Amino acid sequence: MTTFSVIMATYNRGRHILPSIQSVLSQTCRDFELLVVGDCCTDDTADVVRALASPQIRWLNLPERGGSQAFPNNAGIEMSCGRYIAYLGHDDIWAPDHLQALADLFGHSPQPDFVVSGAIFHGPRASNFRWVTGIFDESDTALRHFFPPSSFGHRRDVADRIGKWRHPKEITAPVDADFLLRAAGSGMNFVSTQRITVHKFAAGHRYLSYTSHTSDEQERMVRRMARPGYNGFLASELAKAKAAGAYMVVVHPDYGRYENGQVSSQNAMAKGVVRPDLRKLRQREVIKQDNSPKALDWFPLQAGGDWVLWVGCNPRPKLLVPFKYAGKARIRLDIRHPLREALTKLKLSVNGQLAVASLCNVRQEGNLWNAQATFETALRRDDHTILELHLTRLQRPAARNGIGVGDIEVSPLGWRSIVAKGARLLAKFRPTR
């Protein structure tokens, strides 16, 4: 019987799944099978996985999309052959000794139900954001603290004793938190490896991350682990987390205040799995901000009845434009900042293409400076357009709020908008009989 069945739930990650798979294939503990389970993938992920031609990898693509890791995880458990189940997110990275660290503790008597390894949540690049979790001494820590699935393994019979991973729309907690809390609440024993072997790049911390997959952060971590000085890097990250009060602070909120499926829906919106309806741009449109989750990119605050997005720790925050148009459009952002000198220019990219917005109408209102940032760009013909701001150090949060974004105005340019405007004028002044 195989020691570990490693389950990797995935959805349309394509070639960007490779660094995570490679971190499994590089494990010093070799007695494992890797079950890559697609949540009804419609891209080339199957071809990418099969091309690896590894006898340790099995691929399964579910026939219907469930919209959560719960469904692939349950399917993986059913097809598994291992004594222990481990999980790895399709965008997370294991250190080479991760499975061995779990195996060492599963070999103890009495045998634990769950073995948890230390994990670092890495924020977006250059965000200086990190959380550390999974380092503890008492088993009941699992009742209060969240551990990402990539950091833990459990005995195969756990799912028989507490039940399968649950449907996200039938529970208030996220599916992974629900699984852990049911296990901890039933009295199962949790132990920690006391060392960090997991690097988590949470999609939920990266606004609109599912609109365009990347793997540069994961590839950099794989290279870092292979270079001398990796242990020093870990020690530095741990010290920074402790100094910032970000060590063992990932605790469960009161999930009772949410409705069933609410947290799952909010996470899907933040990641861009679920997006606003895509509409054709026919005339000038104004996008009003709201208080929906924007991950670490933005946090919304209400001002005078309107919502304003204030930048979080990501120096490359994204914005979504829910209009399609076969031509150029003019986009105007209502921006604000506590410092006048922060509003001299605004660099950004539109669907990956660099752009520079001109700033005008700079004025002071109360303790803020307001301006309009205007630029012309092509919108996507059949998909949402993604704006990514390239913030200067002055525009990022420091002692005071960084940059804020209010209304976004989008206007069509070119002959299509002229024809549409002319048609509206003709209709307005057409004589009636």
Side-chain angles (χ1 to χ4, degrees):
M1 191 176 191
T2 304
T3 301
F4 285 102
S5 290
V6 179
I7 300 173
M8 182 179 290
T10 189
Y11 176 65
N12 283 4
R13 189 150 172 83
R15 66 178 178 84
H16 298 292
I17 200 174
L18 289 175
S20 299
I21 290 179
Q22 190 57 52
S23 77
V24 179
L25 297 179
S26 299
Q27 291 297 296
T28 56
C29 173
R30 304 303 303 164
D31 191 15
F32 67 83
E33 62 174 353
L34 172 59
L35 311 175
V36 184
V37 185
D39 190 24
C40 193
C41 292
T42 56
D43 67 345
D44 63 345
T45 302
D47 296 332
V48 171
V49 174
R50 288 177 180 141
L52 293 170
S54 170
Q56 290 179 287
I57 301 177
R58 284 193 280 161
W59 163 258
L60 172 68
N61 196 26
L62 300 182
E64 295 183 6
R65 173 137 168 80
S68 163
Q69 66 173 303
F71 306 95
N73 286 348
N74 286 334
I77 291 172
E78 289 179 5
M79 66 187 289
S80 65
C81 299
R83 289 193 295 272
Y84 311 109
I85 305 296
Y87 305 91
L88 181 61
H90 67 177
D91 47 8
D92 296 337
I93 299 295
W94 279 347
D97 60 342
H98 174 73
L99 285 181
Q100 189 59 57
L102 302 188
D104 290 344
L105 289 181
F106 276 126
H108 286 187
S109 181
Q111 189 180 72
D113 298 295
F114 279 75
V115 177
V116 183
S117 211
I120 301 179
F121 283 77
H122 297 276
R125 189 179 182 187
S127 66
N128 198 34
F129 175 94
R130 61 187 63 75
W131 281 338
V132 174
T133 189
I135 309 294
F136 58 92
D137 296 314
E138 304 296 331
S139 179
D140 64 0
T141 303
L143 288 169
R144 303 183 302 276
H145 289 258
F146 172 73
F147 314 126
S150 293
S151 69
F152 63 75
H154 61 73
R155 289 171 44 170
R156 181 186 173 83
D157 64 355
V158 161
D160 296 328
R161 291 153 60 194
I162 67 169
K164 296 181 178 181
W165 290 66
R166 291 177 173 172
H167 195 299
K169 293 184 179 180
E170 297 174 355
I171 54 179
T172 58
V175 295
D176 43 13
D178 172 78
F179 189 77
L180 282 172
L181 287 171
R182 282 189 287 133
S186 70
M188 289 188 177
N189 185 32
F190 286 71
V191 298
S192 169
T193 66
Q194 299 292 333
R195 65 184 196 256
I196 295 170
T197 61
V198 180
H199 297 279
K200 180 159 190 63
F201 302 90
H205 288 170
R206 291 155 173 80
Y207 183 46
L208 303 177
S209 55
Y210 267 66
T211 61
S212 179
H213 287 290
T214 62
S215 53
D216 54 314
E217 292 177 280
Q218 291 80 2
E219 290 168 357
R220 277 194 296 272
M221 185 55 66
V222 170
R223 291 194 297 268
R224 184 185 288 275
M225 288 192 298
R227 295 197 304 263
Y230 172 67
N231 289 336
F233 163 75
L234 281 186
S236 174
E237 290 294 288
L238 190 59
K240 290 176 182 176
K242 289 181 176 180
Y247 177 81
M248 289 302 293
V249 295
V250 190
V251 296
H252 295 288
D254 176 14
Y255 294 118
R257 64 184 179 180
Y258 300 108
E259 298 179 358
N260 286 350
Q262 181 180 351
V263 174
S264 173
S265 297
Q266 290 177 344
N267 287 339
M269 290 177 61
K271 291 186 285 190
V273 177
V274 175
R275 295 174 238 170
D277 291 339
L278 182 64
R279 296 179 287 156
K280 290 183 179 180
L281 183 65
R282 303 182 186 277
Q283 59 187 16
R284 173 184 171 275
E285 300 280 357
V286 177
I287 305 169
K288 293 284 187 180
Q289 304 297 353
D290 57 32
N291 64 340
S292 60
K294 305 289 192 301
L296 296 178
D297 283 25
W298 305 99
F299 61 94
L301 288 177
Q302 209 162 14
D306 292 326
W307 289 96
V308 176
L309 300 182
W310 292 99
V311 68
C313 62
N314 187 0
R316 295 287 184 90
K318 295 178 180 177
L319 295 165
L320 183 141
V321 178
F323 295 101
K324 59 182 180 179
Y325 183 61
K328 280 195 170 186
R330 178 180 292 111
I331 298 179
R332 180 172 294 138
L333 309 179
D334 173 21
I335 64 174
R336 54 202 69 186
H337 197 281
L339 302 176
R340 170 66 178 85
E341 54 268 33
L343 299 182
T344 57
K345 64 178 179 180
L346 183 66
K347 294 177 63 176
L348 69 158
S349 57
V350 183
N351 300 324
Q353 301 298 313
L354 290 176
V356 176
S358 60
L359 272 65
C360 63
N361 297 335
V362 181
R363 64 201 182 280
Q364 188 172 19
E365 294 185 6
N367 59 350
L368 293 175
W369 289 87
N370 290 15
Q372 291 182 330
T374 306
F375 58 97
E376 295 180 2
T377 185
L379 300 186
R380 284 177 171 155
R381 293 170 177 260
D382 55 4
D383 201 356
H384 297 74
T385 283
I386 306 297
L387 312 180
E388 184 179 62
L389 276 57
H390 299 197
L391 301 183
T392 65
R393 289 189 178 276
L394 206 56
Q395 292 169 341
R396 304 175 197 174
R400 292 186 282 181
N401 285 345
I403 203 167
V405 176
D407 293 349
I408 302 176
E409 181 183 303
V410 188
S411 302
L413 298 175
W415 67 269
R416 286 179 176 82
S417 62
I418 296 173
V419 170
K421 184 176 181 180
R424 290 194 299 272
L425 289 173
L426 285 174
K428 181 178 180 179
F429 293 106
R430 183 181 293 120
T432 57
R433 295 181 179 179

